[in-house]
Amino acid sequence: MIRPVVAGVDGSPESLAAVEWAAREAHRRGLPLRLVHAWEAGLPEGAPEAVLPELRAPQSHARHTLRRALDRVSEEYPQLSVTAEQVCRLPVHALLAEARNADLLVIGSQGPGGLGGFVSGSVAMATAARAEQPIVLVRAGRTAEDEHVPDGDGKPSVRTPFRDVAVAVDVDGPSDEVLDFAFHAADLRGAPLRAVHAWHLPFSRGLPDAEARARIRTEAARELSELLEPWRSKYPAVVVEESLREGRPAHVLVGAADGAGLLVVGSRRRRAAAGPRTGPVAHALIHHVRCPVALVPHD
């Protein structure tokens, strides 16, 4: 069974950017694209015509929103197989159901203080916290040119090489799913892979000396190289840069993602009183990283 790339649509600038990113990714992967718009109210398909117009409004809005996204993708990517569907269901439930049968789910993501639509606001965070499959969150305004390095004049271009794919690597709890996703993404793009590991000194009452700091960093570098070796063998065409940075993971990764075309991070969900939520590192990255962020669930 061919699993499509699925994009959530709600008409917001964030979701439209997600739709276009999903179209490019589906083309890279040789997969069909499926567009889904979920609405929370209104009437199911096939309901009698003799009903109050206001009850038809959500369905009409969904149809218009989905059609606009479908027309846009079909015009820009005529070679892509695209389907679209309206779903009368709560957005989070609809997106999670779609993700279970998808190769990848792509939705919009808003920045701090942004006002997005259903998909790009709290729904995006709730979906990211519960998804069992990889999910990519895309900011408004991200274009195909943003995936590439600038040309010789510093201008945006789609004819230049792809920007790096950055991946957060935890040497204490490595995830095959995260590394496989990141290496595959870099391989598809012919892009370098930047493996970022944040290390820091253990808490102590006194200030560590230079020798202790050097010893810990050297050990972290050795562990990172050993961890990446099997993946270098599996993806020999991918050029890998090992990047060790001292600091807390969230701070390090926000800086490391600067200039990247995609950031890949593991998502270890945590059970909270109000339900599942993303971990603190993933939460920070979703809100502060400008490039698309791929969250890959793992135990």
Side-chain angles (χ1 to χ4, degrees):
M1 175 182 175
I2 297 178
R3 297 163 66 89
V5 173
V6 174
V9 182
D10 66 8
S12 68
E14 291 85 356
S15 81
L16 293 178
V19 165
E20 295 200 353
W21 191 96
R24 296 191 296 273
E25 188 68 9
H27 178 63
R28 282 189 285 263
R29 295 180 178 228
L31 296 175
L33 175 67
R34 176 171 164 79
L35 307 180
V36 176
H37 178 95
W39 74 94
E40 300 181 64
L43 298 170
E45 291 286 350
E49 291 292 335
V51 297
L52 294 175
E54 54 267 30
L55 296 181
R56 289 279 181 192
Q59 185 177 3
S60 177
H61 172 74
R63 185 179 295 111
H64 174 75
T65 297
L66 199 57
R67 171 53 60 181
R68 184 174 60 162
L70 180 61
D71 289 345
R72 186 168 178 172
V73 169
S74 298
E75 180 179 352
E76 295 189 19
Y77 306 97
Q79 74 282 14
L80 197 61
S81 173
V82 188
T83 58
E85 184 175 357
Q86 303 173 44
V87 181
C88 185
R89 193 174 184 183
L90 292 173
V92 172
H93 296 165
L95 291 171
L96 291 175
E98 291 291 333
R100 284 192 287 272
N101 297 311
D103 189 67
L104 182 66
L105 174 66
V106 185
I107 58 179
S109 175
Q110 66 188 46
L115 295 175
F118 281 129
V119 174
S120 57
S122 60
V123 168
M125 295 300 296
T127 305
R130 293 168 171 82
E132 298 291 339
Q133 291 75 27
I135 178 172
V136 174
L137 295 104
V138 182
R139 291 283 188 89
R142 299 301 296 186
T143 66
E145 289 82 0
D146 292 323
E147 295 188 289
H148 298 257
V149 298
D151 65 16
D153 296 324
K155 297 179 180 179
S157 173
V158 295
R159 299 183 183 278
T160 55
F162 278 92
R163 293 178 182 268
D164 295 358
V165 172
V167 57
V169 182
D170 181 359
V171 297
D172 295 324
S175 165
D176 287 348
E177 294 89 348
V178 175
L179 290 174
D180 195 33
F181 186 99
F183 270 85
H184 184 50
D187 195 37
L188 286 172
R189 292 161 171 77
L193 179 70
R194 191 172 352 132
V196 183
H197 173 60
W199 67 278
H200 62 275
L201 296 168
F203 176 79
S204 63
R205 292 179 181 271
L207 293 175
D209 56 28
E211 183 178 349
R213 175 176 274 106
R215 184 172 61 251
I216 293 173
R217 189 188 188 284
T218 299
E219 179 62 16
R222 182 189 64 79
E223 292 176 340
L224 180 60
S225 292
E226 290 181 354
L227 178 64
L228 295 174
E229 187 56 36
W231 299 98
R232 281 190 165 105
S233 299
K234 183 176 180 179
Y235 293 93
V238 176
V239 176
V240 182
E241 174 193 349
E242 298 176 16
S243 176
L244 284 95
R245 303 193 184 190
E246 184 177 2
R248 297 295 176 179
H251 178 75
V252 165
L253 290 169
V254 169
D258 187 33
L262 175 68
L263 174 64
V264 183
V265 62
S267 175
R268 183 181 288 115
R269 291 168 303 281
R270 306 179 180 207
R271 180 67 59 176
R277 63 181 178 87
T278 57
V281 174
H283 187 86
L285 296 176
I286 291 171
H287 283 286
H288 297 293
V289 169
R290 297 179 62 85
C291 71
V293 178
L295 299 178
V296 182
H298 68 100
D299 297 328

